[in-house]
Amino acid sequence: MNAALFPDLIVNGELVPHALIAAEAQNHHAPRGKPGIAWRKAANAIAIRTLLLQEARRRGVEARPAELGPGRLETEEEALIRGLLDTAVAVEPPAEAEIHAEWARDPSRFRSPPLWEVSHILIACDPRDGEAAGAARERAADLAARAAADPRGFARLAAAHSDCGSKSSGGALGQSRPGDTVPEFEAALRGLGEGMVTPEPVPTRHGWHVIRMDAVAEGTQLPYAAARPRIAEALEKAAWSRAAQALVRQLAAMAEISGADLEPV
């Protein structure tokens, strides 16, 4: 991407380096051949970040990086923005009537997690190796077709071809609930009924999977008392998000910005 082709981003007199926007643009999708869309998305994101950092410094927010994980700390800028939002954005917990009304709108939405009993065949590969990943997908696709034609023979296929230690038990992984597997694998499970095999291989960071749903127990509808904490948390998060967006709109309305329009792309 040739940054020289795009306008300078200036926020309240602060010139944002093109290199910063170019790096951010790598995180934004755009149609092939239209780099301007990714640049515009990146410029908007950086403009908002710059506004928040300017406001944090204006208010004298102290950067106190928090630990994100073992050996991983926030950057100073991340800590400043979090500190600003902690200071400037406050919401009241939702009222009981609001929580109950959200539950009563459709109680069937609030259910206990499903329980899945699953088997799989793994064709392991490094997804970053295009040639190896392509060959692995071909093997997995062939196995998926064979498994779909003969679901009862799934265990034999797994024992003969899977690269997972579960091959010794015919590919059986036992029971799992939401959150127990990587997101791509779980997404595939949610689309399977009992006895079904994924028609196409499922990619994860481990390789390609052919998955069979051996048994599924759907979650049961939760009573209000059990669903209430989840609803209250979701309502409070939504209120906080709206308040944070209102802060950004307020800062943008008072700012002088060129090179970004802060409109959805």
Side-chain angles (χ1 to χ4, degrees):
M1 181 181 294
N2 187 351
L5 299 176
F6 300 100
D8 288 336
L9 173 60
I10 304 173
V11 181
N12 291 325
E14 179 181 343
L15 176 64
V16 177
H18 271 197
L20 190 62
I21 305 172
E24 174 66 22
Q26 307 306 310
N27 301 321
H28 297 274
H29 174 73
R32 184 180 296 274
K34 295 186 176 181
I37 292 177
W39 183 273
R40 184 180 167 199
K41 290 178 179 179
N44 285 342
I46 294 293
I48 291 171
R49 182 181 182 87
T50 303
L51 283 172
L52 293 172
L53 287 170
Q54 289 175 346
E55 180 67 10
R57 291 171 179 135
R58 186 187 72 80
R59 295 189 183 209
V61 174
E62 185 177 351
R64 296 179 179 176
E67 187 173 6
L68 301 175
R72 292 179 57 240
L73 290 177
E74 288 179 317
T75 65
E76 181 176 329
E77 289 190 345
E78 288 170 340
L80 278 173
I81 291 173
R82 178 178 52 79
L84 169 66
L85 295 176
D86 287 346
T87 302
V89 179
V91 296
E92 295 292 328
E96 188 66 30
E98 183 183 4
I99 300 171
H100 192 275
E102 179 63 20
W103 175 81
R105 192 162 61 86
D106 183 3
S108 66
R109 292 176 296 156
F110 307 103
R111 313 181 70 84
S112 61
L115 183 64
W116 300 302
E117 191 163 327
V118 180
S119 296
H120 84 141
I121 301 167
L122 170 65
I123 304 302
C125 67
D126 182 348
R128 297 169 297 183
D129 184 336
E131 185 176 347
R137 191 195 183 287
E138 287 186 13
R139 285 185 60 204
D142 176 65
L143 289 166
R146 292 164 65 182
D150 180 19
R152 292 189 177 185
F154 193 95
R156 292 193 299 274
L157 287 174
H161 300 283
S162 182
D163 295 323
C164 178
S166 63
K167 66 186 297 180
S168 62
S169 56
L173 295 174
Q175 295 180 337
S176 64
R177 294 182 181 276
D180 288 349
T181 65
V182 295
E184 305 92 330
F185 196 97
E186 181 176 316
L189 296 183
R190 292 186 179 278
L192 293 177
E194 190 166 314
M196 291 177 62
V197 176
T198 48
E200 296 290 336
V202 177
T204 73
R205 63 176 180 265
H206 305 295
W208 295 91
H209 305 257
V210 181
I211 307 169
R212 184 183 69 183
M213 181 66 73
D214 299 328
V216 58
E218 298 293 347
T220 58
Q221 183 174 314
L222 296 173
Y224 174 68
R228 184 191 180 285
R230 186 196 310 176
I231 300 170
E233 180 182 15
L235 289 174
E236 189 165 351
K237 284 182 177 178
W240 189 94
S241 179
R242 290 192 298 271
Q245 291 169 8
L247 172 64
V248 170
R249 288 195 298 271
Q250 180 185 3
L251 294 175
M254 298 185 298
E256 292 185 6
I257 302 174
S258 63
D261 54 22
L262 304 189
E263 294 293 329
V265 182

